[in-house]
């Protein structure tokens, strides 16, 4: 039985990855931070699975990473934990650096010292491309991050490359473009729109407050993207991959389509601009070229943008109607 160690198991990607690996009959170990109130909502349905074990630890505490990896001797390590909200990285830039940048070094050190044969996956981000130097973005595109989060992710990406080349560790980065689901945090714009539109439809609020509607993103479905993570660690040699749909849509398009799904005719009556949600430095256009992943991994997205919006809005309508 293969063993996998996942940091960030209680997040969107971690929960879907844990499900996928359990289906593949892995023994899954998930690292969770010790807090006064544990948030296991996304993995509640699998917490009693006999092949899932949760371990307390923190990306800021080196020993809490090294000791379990030494004891478990995992075949695969997935580093998905981070301060992952771009807006919050402006308010907490140092904390973002500790988790999202230096945290990668700590987990790599744990692998190097305690289980160097493990295959390592780092969750890189399209936010590293930031103020893009070419369209679409691919593995060789230069980074130009436009937020503390993007800068921290760029560090995490390059330290992963450095450990691969310096210590001969099987370490890869997945340059993931935006991927969403009903398990997305409410602070993220897609979930905020889906939830807000559902609440407007049900008469619980009048508007959905948003920042810049013209920002364009390459949005995919999180379940598709965690499959790509797993595929990267099944290869014979470690390589980095862009994972994306190759199609771009604006925040306004997401809002318009969400309103259509909910049966709201006038999206403009739903929208309200809130300047608090505007970024100090905006990333205007992100769209990825996943040709390499399609060719070498046999990966491609299975859920379209329209299907994704419907999945998210329908989920919010169901949740909000029960409250």
């Amino acid at each position: 039985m293969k063993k996998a160690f996942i940091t960030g198991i209680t997040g969107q990607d971690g929960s879907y990855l844990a499900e996928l690996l359990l289906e593949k009959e892995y023994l899954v170990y998930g690292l969770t931070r010790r807090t006064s109130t544990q948030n296991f909502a996304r993995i509640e349905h699998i917490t009693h699975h006999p092949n899932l074990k949760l371990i307390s630890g923190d990306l800021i505490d080196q020993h809490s990473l090294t000791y379990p990896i030494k004891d478990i001797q995992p075949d695969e390590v997935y580093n998905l934990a981070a301060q992952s909200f771009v807006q919050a990285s402006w308010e907490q830039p140092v904390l973002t650096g500790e988790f999202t940048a230096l945290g990668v070094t700590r987990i790599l050190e744990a692998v190097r010292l305690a289980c160097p044969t493990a295959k390592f996956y780092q969750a890189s981000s399209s936010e590293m491309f930031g103020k893009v130097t070419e369209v679409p973005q691919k593995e060789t595109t230069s980074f130009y991050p436009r937020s503390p989060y993007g800068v921290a992710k760029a560090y995490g990406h390059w330290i992963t490359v450095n450990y691969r080349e310096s210590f001969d560790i099987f370490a890869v980065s997945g340059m993931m473009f935006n991927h969403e689901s009903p398990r997305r945090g409410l602070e993220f714009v897609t979930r905020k729109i889906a939830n807000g539109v559902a609440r407007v439809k049900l008469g619980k609020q009048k508007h959905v407050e948003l920042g810049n509607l013209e920002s364009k993103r390459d949005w995919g479905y999180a379940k598709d993207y965690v499959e790509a993570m797993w595929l990267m660690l099944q290869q014979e040699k470690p390589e980095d991959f862009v994972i994306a749909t190759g199609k771009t849509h604006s925040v306004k398009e997401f809002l318009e389509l969400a309103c259509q799904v909910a049966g709201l005719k006038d999206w403009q009556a739903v929208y309200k601009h809130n300047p608090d949600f505007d970024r100090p430095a905006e990333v205007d256009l992100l769209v990825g070229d996943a040709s390499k992943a399609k060719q070498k991994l046999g990966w491609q997205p299975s859920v379209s943008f329209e299907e994704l919006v419907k999945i998210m809005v329908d989920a919010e309508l169901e949740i909000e109607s029960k409250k």
Side-chain angles (χ1 to χ4, degrees):
M1 184 178 284
K2 272 190 165 184
K3 293 178 285 187
F5 184 84
I6 304 172
T7 72
I9 194 170
T10 59
Q12 171 190 256
D13 292 4
S15 64
Y16 283 124
L17 179 62
E19 286 177 354
L20 177 71
L21 296 179
L22 289 171
E23 287 170 10
K24 294 181 180 297
E25 299 186 340
Y26 275 63
L27 189 56
V28 177
Y29 295 84
L31 190 77
T32 65
R33 294 178 67 201
R34 188 179 298 280
T35 58
S36 57
T37 54
Q38 294 283 13
N39 183 12
F40 291 162
R42 295 184 182 95
I43 59 168
E44 192 172 6
H45 60 296
I46 57 172
T47 50
H48 297 296
H49 194 290
N51 290 341
L52 175 67
K53 300 185 185 300
L54 299 178
I55 297 164
S56 179
D58 200 304
L59 286 185
I60 288 179
D61 180 27
Q62 182 69 60
H63 290 324
S64 71
L65 303 173
T66 306
Y67 286 140
I69 286 177
K70 182 181 178 181
D71 291 341
I72 296 163
Q73 292 295 297
D75 299 283
E76 298 168 5
V77 175
Y78 297 86
N79 183 42
L80 310 185
Q83 190 301 99
S84 59
F85 186 42
V86 175
Q87 188 73 30
S89 77
W90 291 105
E91 298 156 7
Q92 298 179 304
V94 176
L95 180 73
T96 300
E98 281 287 354
F99 280 111
T100 310
L102 291 177
V104 186
T105 309
R106 294 187 186 102
I107 190 79
L108 279 166
E109 270 294 277
V111 170
R112 182 180 75 86
L113 294 170
C115 189
T117 58
K119 292 184 174 183
F120 177 83
Y121 172 84
Q122 165 59 15
S124 285
S125 168
S126 59
E127 288 288 333
M128 300 185 303
F129 297 118
K131 188 175 180 179
V132 298
T133 57
E134 65 177 336
V135 178
Q137 295 87 57
K138 49 186 181 287
E139 289 80 9
T140 55
T141 302
S142 299
F143 297 155
Y144 196 147
R146 297 269 281 173
S147 67
Y149 170 77
V151 172
K153 278 293 184 182
Y155 174 96
H157 179 89
W158 282 117
I159 199 68
T160 301
V161 172
N162 191 261
Y163 270 66
R164 177 171 72 220
E165 295 178 351
S166 301
F167 303 115
D168 198 29
I169 292 172
F170 190 111
V172 303
S173 287
M175 290 173 262
M176 298 279 171
F177 280 66
N178 295 64
H179 45 288
E180 318 298 316
S181 76
R183 297 183 191 174
R184 208 34 155 155
L186 274 168
E187 69 271 24
F188 290 88
V189 68
T190 51
R191 177 81 190 284
K192 187 189 297 182
I193 291 172
N195 177 261
V197 165
R199 288 177 61 82
V200 170
K201 174 66 175 178
L202 296 170
K204 293 186 175 186
Q205 65 186 57
K206 291 185 177 181
H207 301 102
V208 181
E209 295 189 4
L210 300 166
N212 179 18
L213 290 185
E214 301 308 318
S215 290
K216 293 183 177 180
R217 294 291 184 272
D218 184 329
W219 277 304
Y221 186 36
K223 285 188 77 170
D224 287 341
Y225 285 50
V226 300
E227 182 187 14
M229 298 175 189
W230 177 77
L231 285 169
M232 286 181 217
L233 295 195
Q234 310 316 306
Q235 303 307 299
E236 287 189 13
K237 67 172 187 173
E239 294 184 72
D240 303 325
F241 290 88
V242 162
I243 304 299
T245 70
K247 298 177 181 178
T248 185
H249 298 274
S250 67
V251 175
K252 183 170 76 172
E253 286 179 79
F254 199 106
L255 176 61
E256 287 184 85
L257 191 53
C259 287
Q260 289 176 27
V261 172
L264 298 170
K265 294 181 179 179
D266 186 4
W267 71 268
Q268 289 175 306
V270 173
Y271 167 67
K272 184 177 181 181
H273 180 247
N274 186 335
D276 289 343
F277 298 137
D278 292 334
R279 294 182 184 179
E282 186 56 83
V283 174
D284 298 313
L285 171 64
L286 291 173
V287 56
D289 178 359
S291 300
K292 181 181 174 184
K294 291 175 183 177
Q295 178 190 353
K296 293 197 171 184
L297 303 178
W299 178 88
Q300 58 184 0
S302 68
V303 174
S304 70
F305 175 71
E306 292 76 15
E307 290 169 329
L308 173 64
V309 176
K310 187 175 189 321
I311 288 169
M312 293 184 69
V313 174
D314 285 348
E316 295 302 321
L317 285 167
E318 183 179 352
I319 291 167
E320 290 294 334
S321 66
K322 292 177 180 178
K323 288 183 179 178

